[in-house]
Each structure stands twice: as C-alpha cells, then as structure tokens.
Amino acid sequence: MDNSEAPETLGNGREETTKVSTNQRLSRGGWNAAIFVIFVEVAERFAFYGVAGNLIMYLTKELHQPIATAVKNVNTWVGVSTLFPLLGAFIADSFLGRFKTILISSVTFLLGTVLLTLSVSVIPLHGRKALFFLALYILSVGEGGHKPCVQTFAADQFDEDSPEQRKEKSSFFNWWYLGIVAAATAATLVVIYLQYRKEGPVGSPFTKVAQVFVAAARKWRVEGTRDGGDVLYYGDETCCADWDCQPKARILARTKQFRFLDKAMMIDPIDASSKTRNPWRLCSLNEVEEVKLVLSLVPIWFSCIMLNVVQTQLHTYFIKQGSTMIRSIGSHFQVPPASLQGLTGITILIVVPIYDRLFVPIARRYTGHRSGITVLQRIGVGLFLSVVNMVVAALVEAKRVSTAREYNLMDDPKAIVPMTIWWLLPQYIVCGFSDAFAVVGLQELFYDQMPEALRSIGAAAYISLIGVGSFITNAIISVVQEITSASSEKWLGNNLNRAHLDSFYWVLAGLSASSLCLYVWNATRFVYKKFEGDKLTKGRVQPTFGGSSAGQV
C-alpha cells in the first residue's frame, strides 16, 4: 500500500467511528427516552391534582373550617409543595443525582398517598385531622424531590449538540406541559366527581456561586480597562498546546451585565505567580457568566409572582363562587363546582397543540426565531392574560352579587343564586390561555437560561413561584381582612354575597397590572445566554499554574 494513502484511510476510519458513536448516542436519547418520563409525570400529576382539586371543599365541608382559614390552608400546602423542590433540586444536583432523587421521592409520594387514603377512610373523624395534614405534607416532601428532577431529566435526553434535537427540545416543553395538563384535567373531571439523560451529582453549585462573589470582593480595587482588554482567566477547559485548537467545552460569551463580577476573573500579579489556582480568588469566564445568568433570572422571577397569585383563585374562591350558583344539568345531575377546573385544562389541551403545530411555524416565517416568538414574549402574553382573567372574574362576581341582591339573598349564604354556573366559564378559559403561554414559557426559560449544573434548581425556581404566589395570596387576604375589619361589611367573610369578592379581584387585577409593567421593564433588559464561536478569541490570556507567568496571545 502506498504510504501516502495511509493518513486518508485512517482519517476516514475515525470519521466513520465518530458517525457511529454519534448515531448511537442520539438513538438512546431524544423522544424515545423523554416520552417515557412524560408518562411518569402524568401519573404523578394525576394523583396530585386529584387531591388538590377538591381540597377546599373537603376542608370546609368535612373538617368544617371557615372559608378564609381553608383557603389559607390550601395555599399554605400548595406553597410548601412548590418550595420544597428548591431543597430537592439542591440535594439532587449536589449529592444524589437526579435519577436517585426521583426514585426516593416517588416512594415518599406513594407513602403520602397511602396515608392520605387511610386518613379519609379508616381513621375516625376525631383523629382524622392530624393524620390528614401529616399525609398532605409527606406528599409535599415527595413533590420536593420529584418535581424539579423529572422535567430536567427528561429535557436532558435531547442532545444540545444536535441542531435537530435542539429544535425538538423546544417542542418538548409544549408536550411536557400538555401531558401535565391532561393528567390534571382527568383528575379534576374524573377523580373529583368520584369523590364528591441520566446525570450524576456534580457537587454543590452554590459553592461556585459563592466563589465568584468572594473573588470579586477580594479584587474590588483591581481596575479594569474600558476597552475590555483586561487580563482574564478563561478556564482550564480551554487549555491545549495549540491556541488555535478547539476548546474542550462550550464557552459562554462575555456580557456587559453585572460588570462588578468581572473582577473575579481578572488575573492580577498574585494569580499569575501562583502555582495553583485559588478558586476563591480567581474564577473562569464560564463561572462568572453562569452567576450572571442566575442573577439575570431573579428579576424575571419576582415579576412573575402575581401570575401565581391569580392562579391560586382557580382552586379556592373560584370554586366557592361556583358552589353558590345553579349547577344542575337535567333533573338528576349536579356539576361539582371543583370540576370546572377541568375547563382550564381542556383549554390548555386545545391551545398548546395549536400553538406548537400551527402558530409557531407561521410565526417562524416572519420572525426567524426557532420558537416563533421569544420565550420572554410568550411569558409576557401569559401575564397580560392573567390581568384580563381577574378583570373578567371581578365582572362576573359583581353580576352574581347583583343577582343575589335582586332576589333578596344577600343574608342567606347557603342559598343558590339563580344564576347558572356557566357564567364562570370565561374566567376558567382565560386562565387556561394564560397558563398555556406563561407556564410553558417559564419552564423553558428556567431550563434553557440556567447553567447546566443548576438546571434542577432552575426547574425548582419556576415551580417555587407557585408556592410563593400561594403565600403572597395568604398575605394579601390577611391585609384585606385587617383593613376591612372595621367596616360593617368585612371583605372575604363566610357569606360570599357580602364578601366583596369582586373588589378583592379588582385589587388582584391592579397588582397584576403593576407586576406586568415590572416584567416588561425587566424583560427589555434581559440578555439571553450566548456562546462564543468555535475558535478561541484572539487576545486571550491563559495563566500557566506551576510557577510560570501568564502569557499574552
């Protein structure tokens, strides 16, 4: 064989091996794996919403709690259930890994479900309350590990290095939420009527966040140049003998936001002369930019809290409204008021596929964006619809109270107001539209824009919005009750006809509108995650730890 042909033959062999390896890697992930995880989540959501959907009615009718107390208990439980994922995500990313965390939390959730079943069926009424609430919060602990890890575990099945799978990942969040809503809808329509890619732990990511802040603080006197030609550390992942080689990891592009953190990656004489890098004194570009990503999501998180304050009304006051209205269909069937939550689910089941298969391709032609519109634009539409939701709810409630006054039912809280429950249909439908835009957008934003090591935390962060929204709702209720307690007609009392619930909805509408303005202001300043090109940027400085000084390229 001619020696000149050898390199070409060897090169082709490597290329074929690479193709086979890539094909094998892609065949193991993608939809083949993600669809199975979606079904796991569907089963869990079916159980959770089977409990949550009618909890307000159980607390008021079976445990005989006042309406305001029951509403607070529902919000507290939902709040705890959606804040525990922050702890579960930390444990998963730092110690156990997502797969083990999912297994342990699923067993915990099953235990809570069994105890809950026993508490409402076997345990005598006088001893039921304690076990009932214990079981509820065991479910919360199970939620804490399950909820942030399952979504991230499923999304990780799509290879980000594959353009095709990156496009599929964007579509995944639509179908993921569709599965959740399908389970929730089935639970509210069926259960309520009957009862009427494997990732290992990578160490604490918060340590790296702390290191960036400490390093920046220790170098607060180091002066940077205005033209950006600072001596910076770009990380060990870019080290190689030839500076024209490809980096070993994707490098985040340097941004201008939170410039005070850039000092953490500036190389001063102490760093350059050190034999080893002190991570509490010098951080890489990626580490600094990852902290910036986290900080940039914080204002978005805060400006979306009111969205979930509005959503808490879906399983509390909306249901109590429906319980005072005509619910009969025919002569023998009564619609359970909690079942109207299913209308929101049905709306989402219709809207999400239309959005994914019709709206996105059409919008993509005009915007050139792979998702049709940006994630932040999608969330903004959902926030706007949440304001509309409260306006509609306030108008419908005003009509209900007016009807009660017309028929002299104001002082009879148990009387059925001669007004059909289907008047509530618009607010449930608008709520579904709001969810379809905002919730899916938040899921994608907090997955895609978070550093890879913090993606479980990202999922937990968006979930925690529900919990914080529930607690904020409790705070708003308490403030409203305190302010109106001196008046003759106290807001949010047990008699909904005199509870001024419509005024309460107008308060929420005003707060939601203010929150929307804050969101728009934050969104216009948000910087999406960007990566540098394949080639290392000229002018980089890479220190050589081991006694030699850093050199300029």
Side-chain angles (χ1 to χ4, degrees):
M1 179 181 70
D2 189 352
N3 290 337
S4 64
E5 297 178 358
E8 181 179 351
T9 303
L10 292 174
N12 290 339
R14 292 193 190 97
E15 183 179 348
E16 290 299 323
T17 301
T18 302
K19 288 181 179 179
V20 172
S21 176
T22 301
N23 290 336
Q24 290 175 343
R25 175 164 51 86
L26 293 177
S27 65
R28 288 196 295 267
W31 281 112
N32 293 335
I35 194 67
F36 173 77
V37 186
I38 289 177
F39 279 117
V40 172
E41 178 69 1
V42 166
E44 188 273 342
R45 291 287 85 188
F46 183 85
F48 182 84
Y49 280 103
V51 174
N54 209 31
L55 185 57
I56 182 69
M57 300 303 291
Y58 183 82
L59 294 178
T60 54
K61 287 196 171 184
E62 298 297 326
L63 299 185
H64 308 293
Q65 293 186 340
I67 294 176
T69 301
V71 168
K72 290 181 179 180
N73 280 332
V74 172
N75 290 336
T76 299
W77 176 67
V78 173
V80 170
S81 298
T82 50
L83 287 179
F84 262 126
L86 291 170
L87 176 61
F90 171 74
I91 294 174
D93 285 344
S94 302
F95 304 109
L96 296 179
R98 293 167 194 155
F99 186 73
K100 288 183 180 178
T101 305
I102 292 171
L103 289 180
I104 295 173
S105 60
S106 296
V107 173
T108 304
F109 190 90
L110 178 61
L111 174 63
T113 304
V114 172
L115 288 178
L116 194 68
T117 303
L118 294 176
S119 71
V120 300
S121 59
V122 177
I123 305 300
L125 185 61
H126 64 273
R128 177 175 299 177
K129 185 175 181 179
L131 183 60
F132 178 79
F133 279 101
L134 173 64
L136 276 182
Y137 285 98
I138 290 177
L139 287 178
S140 298
V141 174
E143 279 279 289
H146 179 93
K147 194 64 180 167
C149 296
V150 173
Q151 176 189 310
T152 308
F153 186 75
D156 283 344
Q157 304 306 311
F158 297 91
D159 191 346
E160 291 192 353
D161 292 329
S162 167
E164 184 64 28
Q165 288 205 3
R166 285 189 65 191
K167 185 183 296 184
E168 290 177 351
K169 178 181 286 189
S170 181
S171 181
F172 157 78
F173 287 100
N174 286 317
W175 293 100
W176 170 265
Y177 192 59
L178 194 67
I180 292 176
V181 173
T185 303
T188 54
L189 290 178
V190 179
V191 176
I192 288 176
Y193 179 72
L194 293 176
Q195 68 184 24
Y196 195 64
R197 311 250 181 178
K198 188 177 180 181
E199 294 287 341
V202 295
S204 174
F206 295 109
T207 300
K208 293 183 179 180
V209 174
Q211 287 172 342
V212 171
F213 278 100
V214 171
R218 293 177 71 174
K219 294 180 180 177
W220 68 276
R221 291 184 177 179
V222 176
E223 295 294 335
T225 60
R226 292 185 177 181
D227 60 4
D230 305 307
V231 181
L232 306 177
Y233 175 54
Y234 278 74
D236 296 330
E237 65 269 17
T238 62
C239 290
C240 50
D242 181 3
W243 280 98
D244 286 331
C245 71
Q246 298 290 332
K248 297 178 181 179
R250 301 181 75 188
I251 308 300
L252 290 167
R254 187 182 179 188
T255 61
K256 295 182 179 180
Q257 58 181 348
F258 306 111
R259 293 291 294 272
F260 67 93
L261 292 177
D262 288 353
K263 293 181 183 292
M265 58 178 172
M266 289 183 181
I267 303 169
D268 63 7
I270 298 176
D271 297 321
S273 61
S274 177
K275 293 183 179 181
T276 58
R277 178 176 75 95
N278 180 357
W280 295 95
R281 237 192 150 273
L282 179 63
C283 301
S284 69
L285 172 99
N286 257 20
E287 290 169 341
V288 172
E289 290 299 328
E290 284 178 349
V291 173
K292 290 182 179 182
L293 288 174
V294 175
L295 291 180
S296 66
L297 287 169
V298 172
I300 299 295
W301 185 91
F302 273 106
S303 54
C304 290
I305 290 176
M306 279 305 301
L307 168 72
N308 294 282
V309 171
V310 170
Q311 303 293 19
T312 60
Q313 312 313 311
L314 184 69
H315 50 262
T316 54
Y317 280 119
F318 281 14
I319 296 176
K320 293 304 295 183
Q321 277 180 282
S323 67
T324 68
M325 304 169 78
I326 297 175
R327 296 179 284 114
S328 58
I329 298 180
S331 57
H332 301 290
F333 184 80
Q334 289 280 327
V335 177
S339 290
L340 261 67
Q341 296 170 92
L343 298 174
T344 298
I346 292 172
T347 301
I348 297 172
L349 290 173
I350 295 172
V351 171
V352 171
I354 294 175
Y355 181 93
D356 188 72
R357 296 303 177 187
L358 184 61
F359 173 78
V360 171
I362 294 175
R364 189 183 292 150
R365 297 176 186 174
Y366 296 96
T367 65
H369 194 277
R370 60 186 174 88
S371 298
I373 58 176
T374 68
V375 178
L376 289 175
Q377 289 170 341
R378 180 172 186 170
I379 296 171
V381 173
L383 294 180
F384 172 76
L385 290 174
S386 72
V387 178
V388 175
N389 188 16
M390 281 294 92
V391 172
V392 171
L395 294 175
V396 171
E397 174 62 9
K399 170 64 177 176
R400 191 192 68 82
V401 173
S402 175
T403 304
R405 183 179 294 108
E406 179 183 349
Y407 285 86
N408 297 318
L409 301 175
M410 296 296 290
D411 296 313
D412 188 357
K414 294 185 178 181
I416 298 298
V417 177
M419 179 177 171
T420 178
I421 195 174
W422 302 118
W423 273 86
L424 300 179
L425 184 64
Q427 63 201 61
Y428 280 100
I429 291 178
V430 174
C431 188
F433 272 91
S434 177
D435 263 14
F437 280 88
V439 176
V440 179
L442 284 168
Q443 288 178 349
E444 185 172 356
L445 182 72
F446 278 87
Y447 174 87
D448 190 57
Q449 296 302 308
M450 278 294 246
E452 291 186 13
L454 287 171
R455 276 178 168 168
S456 293
I457 299 294
Y462 110 78
I463 295 168
S464 69
L465 279 168
I466 304 173
V468 174
S470 298
F471 289 121
I472 294 296
T473 303
N474 285 353
I476 294 173
I477 291 174
S478 296
V479 170
V480 167
Q481 287 181 312
E482 183 66 25
I483 293 176
T484 60
S485 60
S487 64
S488 58
E489 292 184 351
K490 180 180 178 180
W491 290 15
L492 307 181
N494 284 338
N495 183 357
L496 286 187
N497 296 333
R498 293 193 178 276
H500 294 278
L501 189 58
D502 55 335
S503 300
F504 177 66
Y505 287 158
W506 281 116
V507 170
L508 296 185
L511 292 174
S512 297
S514 300
S515 181
L516 175 62
C517 294
L518 177 63
Y519 172 83
V520 172
W521 189 83
N522 289 326
T524 55
R525 287 157 177 78
F526 187 84
V527 179
Y528 286 94
K529 182 194 295 185
K530 295 180 181 179
F531 292 96
E532 292 189 354
D534 294 334
K535 295 289 184 179
L536 296 180
T537 305
K538 291 182 178 180
R540 283 192 179 178
V541 177
Q542 181 66 42
T544 304
F545 297 107
S548 61
S549 300
Q552 181 83 23
V553 178

